[in-house]
Amino acid sequence: MTNHIRNFCIIAHIDHGKSTLADRLLHLTGTVPERDTTEQILDSMDLEREKGVTIKASAVRMNYTAQDGSAYELNLIDTPGHVDFGYEVSRALNACEGAVLVVDATQGIEAQTLANLYSALGADLVIIPVINKIDLVTARPDEVAEDIGSLLGVTPADVLRVSAKEGKNIEAVLEAIVQKIPPPTGEAELPLRALIFDSHYDSYKGVIAYVRVVEGKVSAEETIRMLATGVDVKPIEVGIFAPTMKPVAGLTAGEVGYVATGLKTVHDARVGDTITSATHPAAVALPGYRIPKPMVFAGIYPSEADAYQNLREALDKLQLNDASLTFQPETSQALGFGFRAGFLGLFHMEIIQERLEREYDLEMVFTAPTVAYEVLLHTGETKIVASPADLPEDGLIAEIREPWMNIEIITPTEYYGPIMELVTRRRGIYKSQEYPAPHRVQLNYEIPLSEIIIDFFDELKSRTRGYASLDYQFLEYRADALQKLEILVNGEPVDALAAIVHEKDAYHKGQRFITKLKELIPRQLFDVAIQASSAGRIISRANVKATRKDVLAKCYGGDISRKKKLLEKQKKGKKRLKMVGNVEIPQEAFMAVLSLEDE
């Protein structure tokens, strides 16, 4: 029977104390002894601890004896905390029956709190609201309880108030989980259906799939099948997280654990796939599976040409653990051989960049991030273009479509004006507004993804003193008046500096780019012309002046014709040098496109 099982997750905005609360629950149930503890037990990566964000989901089983004397098995499924990993969050929510909603007593409800809450309600989960950090001087528990009460339709007195850091009132959370969250449904006699809600690669056991068994049972003796990929495999072991991996004989309906598959890549056991028996397969897969699509693209090039192979191996190893990272080789005239990589979002890109630098000790040049455009040709063919350098000739293009997003911004009402101004300037279209709580407004907009991937979030935070929060979802591809902005150095186009811009921004962006590059490109022994070109015409130009050697220093006195002769000789030399000379373009130039806004 599954009556003693409770499967739940903790959802919260970044830095509202989700990982600290998870640590407290592990201590209180005796799953992890106090002496073995580290902070953020479930966040195993250094980056997760530093940034205060859960990047990989994980799971842990706790045994708890309730106040009525009954013993329960509690499965905590930890969810990623950033909007880039929304698909993983949705899979983790589908593996649960309930969710603990954690809200910071000082910050109140924020955008991702709401986004994750709506996802949890959409997955039909029972919500247990908890206010955390009540020990802080700036805490406003009564005010926040009112907001949560009006949002969820519960009385403010029903909202639990805890301090995960101090360990106050944590027992009440465990009791609420046991009392309010229903046990899982699902028959152990039916054919096996288990949801993969996360996976990671282990060099000894292959891909380890984190599973919630919905129906049937799974053991290491029976061959299993991945329904989406059609791969059959005999598991190496089946086990539970306690919180380290612990092998067991098998898992039955309602339980959460892992299956070590022995597969060599996470592409064969994708998040959201259904595991079934190879001999008695289930007729239909569990709903909701999709392949996560990259939204942001950037070129990655090794600083030294001979490190290309090392970069390839590092990306291969990262991809073993992260199926949403895509990459393919590309060549740039300016930067040589490298890769065009696809990421779920800007934060995902930042994580990959830091992991490449730290774990593999690589020095790289990252080009400015771009988005994928849909290009409709006059022939009727549609192409996806991830790099501006791959854009076909103007004459072949019927229209260019760019990805648009739905964004929700939650902010205190006094910052309404600055946010409106920021979004309108970035080509945003106002849709609606709601008031989830007194003094807080939720603004809904549609906006091109290219306008938010660079520094939109930073600007939003600085205009609202850090109080506004943002959530976004993909909406559609939409046609607009877009064109390619090319940068020419000494008459040669630099492919890595090309960008796709709106025609009304082309002139200003081109001008600002040239001004910036003039400061960044080091002076050569010859004049260097930098030009911006768009729609077949040059829209801006600047010269980087040559460094001059004083050839007249040794020529003192005498006729002026001697000096002219020496200067003419120098001029010829510089002309010859210009024909063969290479202009070194520094890394800052490739990132200059990031800071073109508002200069």
Side-chain angles (χ1 to χ4, degrees):
M1 288 299 286
T2 58
N3 287 346
H4 67 292
I5 299 175
R6 299 288 183 273
N7 297 326
F8 72 100
C9 59
I10 303 176
I11 54 178
H13 190 79
I14 293 170
D15 207 25
H16 278 208
K18 180 164 71 91
S19 298
T20 315
L21 179 60
D23 294 354
R24 283 283 162 233
L25 297 177
L26 293 175
H27 292 154
L28 200 60
T29 54
T31 311
V32 177
E34 289 273 358
R35 67 170 189 276
D36 291 351
T37 191
T38 56
E39 280 189 27
Q40 294 157 268
I41 296 164
L42 298 180
D43 292 348
S44 51
M45 287 162 59
D46 287 344
L47 275 172
E48 292 183 306
R49 289 160 195 255
E50 280 174 31
K51 293 185 181 290
V53 180
T54 303
I55 296 163
K56 290 289 284 175
S58 62
V60 64
R61 178 181 291 193
M62 300 176 275
N63 293 312
Y64 173 64
T65 306
Q67 287 169 359
D68 61 6
S70 313
Y72 291 93
E73 174 192 305
L74 308 180
N75 290 308
L76 162 59
I77 294 168
D78 198 15
T79 56
H82 195 275
V83 62
D84 281 1
F85 307 109
Y87 173 63
E88 282 86 340
V89 172
S90 78
R91 298 300 82 214
L93 294 177
N94 276 44
C96 305
E97 278 74 40
V100 175
L101 174 71
V102 179
V103 179
D104 186 323
T106 61
Q107 303 277 349
I109 295 165
E110 298 201 64
Q112 268 166 262
T113 318
L114 273 189
N116 289 342
L117 172 62
Y118 293 149
S119 304
L121 291 170
D124 240 3
L125 303 191
V126 172
I127 308 292
I128 298 171
V130 172
I131 296 175
N132 187 24
K133 306 194 187 181
I134 57 166
D135 55 307
L136 296 180
V137 184
T138 51
R140 304 173 285 116
D142 297 334
E143 201 180 307
V144 175
E146 288 279 344
D147 294 349
I148 296 172
S150 60
L151 183 68
L152 290 174
V154 297
T155 56
D158 290 345
V159 181
L160 297 172
R161 300 170 186 213
V162 306
S163 165
K165 196 172 183 182
E166 308 267 314
K168 274 186 204 162
N169 213 15
I170 304 297
E171 185 103 25
V173 178
L174 286 167
E175 281 299 315
I177 289 165
V178 167
Q179 302 304 329
K180 293 182 182 173
I181 295 176
T185 55
E187 300 295 322
E189 284 67 49
L190 289 170
L192 169 66
R193 286 203 302 170
L195 171 71
I196 302 177
F197 61 85
D198 196 25
S199 61
H200 81 264
Y201 181 78
D202 180 284
S203 45
Y204 300 108
K205 297 172 185 171
V207 174
I208 293 177
Y210 298 24
V211 298
R212 152 73 198 275
V213 184
V214 178
E215 290 160 356
K217 45 172 103 62
V218 61
S219 70
E221 275 67 67
E222 195 180 354
T223 305
I224 57 170
R225 175 174 297 162
M226 314 289 160
L227 273 178
T229 53
V231 177
D232 286 5
V233 69
K234 190 158 191 307
I236 294 170
E237 75 180 35
V238 171
I240 61 166
F241 298 100
T244 50
M245 294 198 298
K246 181 177 158 191
V248 295
L251 298 168
T252 62
E255 291 193 307
V256 174
Y258 68 88
V259 176
T261 61
L263 292 166
K264 289 288 171 269
T265 159
V266 282
H267 290 284
D268 294 333
R270 284 182 175 274
V271 172
D273 200 352
T274 303
I275 290 180
T276 189
S277 162
T279 47
H280 307 289
V284 288
L286 295 163
Y289 170 73
R290 62 184 174 81
I291 296 174
K293 281 199 170 71
M295 296 302 294
V296 173
F297 296 84
I300 310 177
Y301 296 87
S303 297
E304 303 293 328
D306 52 6
Y308 176 79
Q309 199 53 40
N310 297 355
L311 177 59
R312 180 178 206 113
E313 284 166 17
L315 285 167
D316 274 330
K317 283 176 187 164
L318 281 181
Q319 203 178 38
L320 288 176
N321 271 317
D322 186 350
S324 52
L325 167 68
T326 62
F327 66 91
Q328 69 246 16
E330 78 166 0
T331 315
S332 152
Q333 297 143 347
L335 296 167
F337 293 102
F339 298 93
R340 165 87 12 193
F343 311 93
L344 295 173
L346 213 60
F347 181 71
H348 185 212
M349 173 177 151
E350 191 184 323
I351 294 298
I352 296 293
Q353 186 170 0
E354 294 216 13
R355 287 188 71 183
L356 286 169
E357 283 169 5
R358 287 184 190 196
E359 295 172 27
Y360 302 98
D361 204 21
L362 290 167
E363 280 190 26
M364 300 148 305
V365 175
F366 261 70
T367 63
T370 59
V371 301
Y373 293 87
E374 258 186 15
V375 179
L376 178 67
L377 303 176
H378 286 301
T379 57
E381 184 193 348
T382 305
K383 282 180 73 170
I384 297 287
V385 173
S387 165
D390 299 338
L391 199 67
E393 293 292 316
D394 283 352
L396 304 173
I397 299 170
E399 67 179 24
I400 302 175
R401 304 183 192 124
E402 63 180 335
W404 278 65
M405 312 300 275
N406 275 326
I407 63 167
E408 293 144 24
I409 298 170
I410 292 185
T411 173
T413 43
E414 65 258 36
Y415 300 116
Y416 196 107
I419 289 174
M420 285 290 239
E421 196 265 325
L422 167 68
V423 181
T424 313
R425 210 184 65 242
R426 301 283 185 112
R427 298 195 286 138
I429 300 168
Y430 170 79
K431 299 309 287 182
S432 63
Q433 66 189 47
E434 294 156 38
Y435 290 86
H439 314 299
R440 285 178 102 72
V441 61
Q442 175 183 333
L443 299 167
N444 302 316
Y445 292 94
E446 291 173 2
I447 192 169
L449 176 60
S450 57
E451 297 287 349
I452 61 173
I453 62 164
I454 293 175
D455 59 355
F456 181 82
F457 190 60
D458 296 346
E459 276 229 17
L460 180 68
K461 283 289 184 193
S462 62
R463 282 170 182 242
T464 60
R465 298 190 188 162
Y467 282 113
S469 52
L470 170 78
D471 188 67
Y472 53 88
Q473 290 92 28
F474 175 69
L475 173 65
E476 63 182 355
Y477 276 96
R478 202 177 281 178
D480 212 331
L482 302 165
Q483 56 195 48
K484 185 172 172 182
L485 175 67
E486 277 196 301
I487 301 298
L488 294 87
V489 176
N490 261 358
E492 291 293 320
V494 181
D495 49 6
L497 291 177
I500 295 174
V501 297
H502 196 276
E503 64 175 25
K504 71 179 175 61
D505 298 332
Y507 180 71
H508 300 293
K509 281 200 170 158
Q511 235 180 3
R512 284 206 297 264
F513 212 162
I514 294 301
T515 310
K516 197 135 202 154
L517 284 177
K518 189 180 175 188
E519 298 162 15
L520 293 171
I521 291 180
R523 289 172 72 180
Q524 314 288 323
L525 288 170
F526 50 89
D527 280 0
V528 176
I530 326 168
Q531 296 162 301
S533 137
S534 186
R537 60 200 175 90
I538 301 295
I539 51 178
S540 180
R541 172 190 171 121
N543 276 356
V544 177
K545 284 280 173 222
T547 52
R548 298 194 62 134
K549 180 182 171 189
D550 189 358
V551 289
L552 303 182
K554 61 176 188 276
C555 180
Y556 47 90
D559 188 11
I560 185 76
S561 58
R562 282 186 64 201
K563 293 182 181 176
K564 277 190 173 167
K565 197 172 165 187
L566 282 171
L567 287 170
E568 280 300 320
K569 195 174 171 187
Q570 184 188 31
K571 204 170 172 184
K572 275 184 192 162
K574 283 191 184 286
K575 197 173 175 184
R576 197 164 63 246
L577 186 64
K578 187 171 183 173
M579 287 162 69
V580 295
N582 261 344
V583 181
E584 193 69 29
I585 300 173
Q587 155 82 38
E588 294 80 62
F590 298 103
M591 301 317 281
V593 70
L594 300 187
S595 47
L596 287 184
E597 299 302 324
D598 313 314
E599 299 228 335

